[in-house]
Amino acid sequence: MDDIIFIGDWIKDRVLGSGSFGTVVLWKHKNNDEKLAIKTCKWGDELTAKHRERWTKEVEMLQTCNHPNIVGTITLPAEFVSGLAPMNPSKLPILCMEYCSGGDLRQQLNKPDASCGLKEVKVRKILSDVGSAMQFLHNNKITHRDLKPENIVLHVPNGISEPSEDKIAYKIIDLGYAKEIDSNSICASFVGTLQYLAPEIFYSKTYSNSVDFWSLGLLAFEIICGTRPFLPFKAPVEWMPFVKKKTHDNICVYETFHGDIEYSNEIFPENHVSKPFKSLIENWLRVALEWDPKLRGRDAPSKVTFNIPSENKDAASASKIVIFEMLQSTLAKKIIKIFSLSKISQLAYEIDSTMTINTLKEWIFKETNIPIEDQMLISPSNCMDIENNEPVMKYWNENSAVMLFLYNKKHMIEENTSPVVPKAVQRCLELPKALYNYKNSQTLYRNAFYFVVAQMDIYDFLINALFTRGESLKQESRQLLLNHNNVDKKLGKLLAKIETIKTMVEIGEKHIEELKENGTGTNILGGFTKTFKDAHDLTDKIEKLVSAWSLLSVRLQSAARRSNEGITTDLNNFVAKYNYQAIFSNAYKTFIAHKKSDFYNANREKERQCPDIVRVCYDCLKLRSKILQELQNQQFILKLKDLSLEFSKISDIICKADENTDRLSTDLENFTGEFTTCIWSTISVVVRDVDNIADLPYSVVSYQKRDFKIGEPVTNHFLTGNHDNVDEIKSLVTESLKLRQNQMELCEKLNSQKNMLLQNSVFDFSFLNGN
């Protein structure tokens, strides 16, 4: 096919890959963006009948496997049938496939930033797509037998230069080794890539489709950790005897720095997945990487029977394949990811639809010891402080590395926060002149580059957390202004009401003073003394609140103005001065140079020092320390601290002022009712007892105007009969009113004492002036 460049309107672009038997070439249509991946057999008569059968079987399987995560076939354009005939000596079918422009998964894993695995979002997507494709194959009684990163390609939609993870589809290719066998069938052929083959293919003459479970488990481990789980520097014949000894819980067998063999129940700590997902995937890996094929991928009953189920077995006792179910369940779990600014660390928790922010804060307290009342959770999407009763699920986003930022109200960034340093990096810093063999140097370079990338991620989260806090303070100031305005309106209404009461009280006091001067009718007005005193006390409290409130208004406006100035410019200047770009670039060059060195490709038994990567690790730690030290004294940090504290105080004051305004409003309503009752009670007494009261002025009680003249005593018009009786009646009424007056004065004293005990502290507004 090398000699053919043009076929009809199609132009040969490049060779995508070449295997043992076939070559895949990319062809582009000259009039549009259509692309085809065409696979032809490179051999002719030297092919055996078995090889021809394998090739034909792959074409047939791909043409019948219609699944979004299995590379699709396309009808070969007619011009290629004749155009490629000279380059197809075998006369075997030509396979025309959709073109997947993202390359294969091995290319992704070979990138330096994937040296310790891929990000969790990508891991989830790969396992979801590949798991779905493998389940489809097994449901159709097809075993792939050669699942590996090289046989998984990335399909990217046309026109998208930098697609998000949800836009990429991972597809299985190369069904050349696939065979139609089910869980009860056995096969004896030795096929597939050695490092990904299940143990029984080496140790037994027969195997079932559980070999794919093993390969899927190895693939999952590698995309999470960047390396295979079982002694990756050894050939299968060397590592399998060690792996055979592992228990069900062991999912990793590795060689220590000193060459000892260790068994582990966990994946390597150098990874980019959250703790909850790590725990979930480890449980799944125990099922996928079970040594015994009779148990692998199956549920608990199989561990009792130790037999591959047969059709004659009782359904209740038969083991069940659960590997795909478990994987789907694991991937369906929702994990909220949080970055704590004060601790400079990442937190993650598995959540469900019923969980609230308050419960999340309780979990955070258990892990970080930050009291719930000091925690503040802010969403980067809206920069708003989240209420405790809100559902956590509202802020979950599967494509986001950080879904919430956690702040400690008392500490912006705590001092003496220690980084998580891989053991290999710790060792190189403690022993910078240590000698490394090939295996140990590989581990060091991988872990060192991972450490740099991890520190870059944390720095990125830290800067975003500071930016989000700055934006949230703007939102907080707006909310405080709204709350302030609401209280201000309440105070305005309260002032309007108290002004009316003040006017009524002033008129009442003046009128009573005039009556006292005339000495007429005052014997029934003693109750107003207490009422007027209550009015003055209430007025005094309201005026004090309003006076203090005006000072708070100025304070809030000043804080709001400072918050609106923002910190973006200062942050950008800081990032421009302090960043990891130079260290990352140096680490990248060092990593690539090591892979190209003779140490990597030859002389693997020789030991040597690794000063270049030691320097990278040292510079990374030094920069981290300097950044944290410089941050503590940055003006924008001090501004965030000051505004956070100020807004917290102002918020408390507004809440208390709101409560006191409501309380005073209630007291004013009660007073108005009492005042009205007092007035009407006095009028009622006058109306009821008017026949027995002498010298009552017209201004207090009025009868028919025709019966008397204005200003004259009422008694001149209606008092008749014996004057001795009248004097006696007057004396009795006077004594009765004196008793009433004494009773009122006693009540007033009791109420005064009660107020001193219960109300004086309630209306202390000194908090409005607090710092």
Side-chain angles (χ1 to χ4, degrees), residues 352-366:
D352 57 37
S353 58
T354 64
M355 186 174 174
T356 64
I357 292 294
N358 189 65
T359 302
L360 180 61
K361 287 184 175 181
E362 291 175 357
W363 291 0
I364 292 172
F365 168 69
K366 291 178 182 177

Side-chain angles (χ1 to χ4, degrees), residues 231 234 242-243 252-256 258-263:
L231 301 167
K234 295 182 180 293
F242 293 104
V243 178
C252 177
V253 183
Y254 64 95
E255 196 172 352
T256 68
H258 299 291
D260 298 324
I261 303 299
E262 294 286 345
Y263 293 79

Side-chain angles (χ1 to χ4, degrees), residues 16 24-27 35-39 95-99:
L16 295 176
V24 182
V25 176
L26 175 63
W27 292 82
K35 297 176 182 178
L36 297 176
I38 297 179
K39 184 176 182 179
L95 185 58
C96 183
M97 302 172 289
E98 61 178 331
Y99 170 58

Side-chain angles (χ1 to χ4, degrees), residues 439-452:
K439 172 186 65 66
N440 290 335
S441 71
Q442 284 293 93
T443 302
L444 173 60
Y445 279 79
R446 285 177 52 253
N447 289 359
F449 196 85
Y450 161 82
F451 179 60
V452 172

Side-chain angles (χ1 to χ4, degrees), residues 137-149:
L137 291 176
H138 283 210
N139 288 342
N140 286 275
K141 299 182 179 181
I142 297 174
T143 301
H144 190 283
R145 301 196 295 174
D146 195 23
L147 183 64
K148 57 184 178 179

Side-chain angles (χ1 to χ4, degrees), residues 581-754:
Q581 290 304 317
I583 289 178
F584 175 81
S585 178
N586 190 24
Y588 187 91
K589 292 176 183 177
T590 303
F591 187 88
I592 295 299
H594 175 69
K595 293 189 73 172
K596 293 180 179 180
S597 68
D598 293 338
F599 190 25
Y600 185 88
N601 298 299
N603 300 322
R604 295 189 173 184
E605 299 303 320
K606 186 178 180 181
E607 292 186 339
R608 65 178 67 179
Q609 293 181 357
C610 302
D612 51 356
I613 202 66
V614 173
R615 170 55 61 180
V616 168
C617 296
Y618 174 77
D619 289 344
C620 185
L621 270 178
K622 185 178 178 181
L623 177 60
R624 182 187 187 277
S625 178
K626 186 172 183 60
I627 286 174
L628 295 182
Q629 184 179 356
E630 290 294 325
L631 271 177
Q632 295 292 347
N633 300 316
Q634 289 297 309
Q635 190 61 39
F636 59 83
I637 290 289
L638 300 177
K639 180 179 180 180
L640 291 178
K641 288 180 180 178
D642 177 60
L643 285 173
S644 297
L645 182 61
E646 180 72 347
F647 281 157
S648 178
K649 290 181 178 180
I650 290 175
S651 178
D652 290 341
I653 292 172
I654 290 176
C655 288
K656 291 178 181 177
D658 191 22
E659 293 172 1
N660 280 285
T661 301
D662 290 339
R663 191 178 293 115
L664 286 171
S665 181
T666 301
D667 290 347
L668 185 57
E669 289 177 4
N670 294 337
F671 169 79
T672 303
E674 292 175 2
F675 192 18
T676 304
T677 300
C678 189
I679 292 173
W680 283 103
S681 296
T682 303
I683 294 174
S684 298
V685 169
V686 172
V687 172
R688 185 176 65 250
D689 298 335
V690 71
D691 291 338
N692 301 318
I693 299 177
D695 302 323
L696 193 63
Y698 170 71
S699 59
V700 176
V701 140
S702 175
Y703 291 101
Q704 295 291 331
K705 289 185 179 181
R706 66 175 183 271
D707 294 333
F708 53 87
K709 295 181 180 180
I710 296 175
E712 292 182 355
V714 178
T715 53
N716 292 347
H717 297 272
F718 76 92
L719 287 177
T720 59
N722 190 327
H723 287 281
D724 293 336
N725 292 337
V726 172
D727 292 337
E728 185 179 350
I729 290 171
K730 285 183 178 180
S731 176
L732 290 172
V733 170
T734 300
E735 291 179 5
S736 175
L737 291 175
K738 284 182 179 179
L739 289 173
R740 181 182 179 90
Q741 179 70 20
N742 292 336
Q743 186 263 342
M744 287 182 175
E745 289 176 355
L746 180 59
C747 288
E748 182 179 357
K749 289 180 180 179
L750 290 173
N751 287 332
S752 176
Q753 293 177 359
K754 178 181 178 182

